[in-house]
Amino acid sequence: MKRYELLVFDWDGTLMDSAGEIVAAMQNAIQEIGLPERSPDRMRELIGLGLDDVLARLFPELDTQRVRARLHAYRARYGMKRSAAELFPPVRGALDTLKARGFTMAVATGKSRRGLDSALRSTGTEGYFRWTRCADESTPKPAPDMLEEILLWSATVPENALMIGDTEYDVAMARAAGVDAIGVGCGVHDAQRLRRAGAIEVLDSVETLPEWLACERRSA
């Protein structure tokens, strides 16, 4: 039997090449509502956290709830710009391979439900994932809640699940849930940071995940 049965993916920076677009959207919102400017690098390294955590780290001198209210008012007025981000080129082929091999797949993401549903529709990937969980439906990363809910729904024990993500927040969530984590170096945090957080391996991208899993199965 294969060691891992359930594969849970992060979205932004893992499956979708969207980090630059997220940072640009954050910068635009900050400028529009008159918040202090922050560097792109500082914003980028927070991708994957829940909104309150992002705001608290970006603006520790401001009241997080007031900043959140201003952002919600901005979104209500101007709406959400349609994303032009695309999947990393090798992702679809890797997902096809993993699906054909019988793996159950899910998503645990810092995106909102509205944002993830839009991304799934635009990329035509709804059929790959049995379960999806978003930051506005549960306690955001690095808390284990989203992953634990997917484990419960899928009736999967932690040792038979694998989390795949590009940030230390993905790895921390997995570790807190007792789940192994694989890092991918195509996103936000570098390989050294992912390993330091507890990733059991760091791959260049999701493209090589099927091969890595095949090797793991043979060695199990």
Side-chain angles (χ1 to χ4, degrees):
M1 293 180 65
K2 55 181 177 286
R3 181 181 177 188
Y4 300 115
E5 300 171 357
L6 173 68
L7 307 178
V8 184
F9 294 88
D10 170 56
W11 189 267
D12 295 306
T14 299
L15 299 178
M16 178 168 273
D17 187 7
S18 48
E21 184 178 80
I22 291 172
V23 169
M26 291 170 65
Q27 285 184 305
N28 186 65
I30 285 171
Q31 291 169 359
E32 288 292 331
I33 64 178
L35 293 173
E37 291 190 9
R38 296 292 185 260
S39 72
D41 286 345
R42 189 171 178 186
M43 294 180 187
R44 180 184 173 89
E45 77 98 22
L46 298 177
I47 292 173
L49 289 174
L51 180 59
D52 284 348
D53 283 339
V54 170
L55 296 178
R57 297 190 190 199
L58 283 179
F59 309 107
E61 74 279 17
L62 302 179
D63 181 271
T64 297
Q65 297 308 312
R66 289 187 178 182
V67 176
R68 174 190 268 272
R70 290 168 69 180
L71 281 173
H72 281 318
Y74 167 79
R75 288 179 177 175
R77 182 175 181 181
Y78 295 105
M80 291 180 63
K81 183 180 178 182
R82 183 178 178 84
S83 174
E86 298 181 351
L87 297 176
F88 287 108
V91 162
R92 195 176 301 274
L95 294 178
D96 283 335
T97 299
L98 295 169
K99 184 176 181 179
R101 291 182 183 174
F103 288 100
T104 300
M105 293 184 284
V107 171
T109 176
K111 297 181 86 66
S112 67
R113 169 52 60 188
R114 179 181 176 187
L116 179 62
D117 284 350
S118 176
L120 290 168
R121 287 193 301 271
S122 69
T123 57
T125 52
E126 305 102 314
Y128 290 104
F129 305 108
R130 179 65 180 83
W131 294 277
T132 60
R133 203 65 174 148
C134 300
D136 58 353
E137 300 171 325
S138 184
T139 307
K141 304 171 188 177
D145 299 49
M146 285 193 287
L147 189 49
E148 289 177 341
E149 289 160 359
I150 292 172
L151 291 174
L152 179 63
W153 295 338
S154 62
T156 304
V157 294
E159 55 265 33
N160 287 342
L162 180 68
M163 180 71 205
I164 304 98
D166 69 309
T167 72
E168 66 177 37
Y169 318 126
D170 300 310
V171 179
M173 175 179 66
R175 293 191 67 186
V179 170
D180 285 346
I182 287 282
V184 291
C186 55
V188 172
H189 293 164
D190 62 32
Q192 183 178 7
R193 187 167 177 178
L194 292 166
R195 290 184 188 279
R196 193 165 56 240
I200 63 172
E201 184 61 271
V202 179
L203 308 176
D204 289 340
S205 73
V206 171
E207 180 180 19
T208 56
L209 180 61
E211 180 183 356
W212 184 88
L213 287 166
C215 291
E216 281 291 293
R217 184 176 183 181
R218 286 194 294 268
S219 64

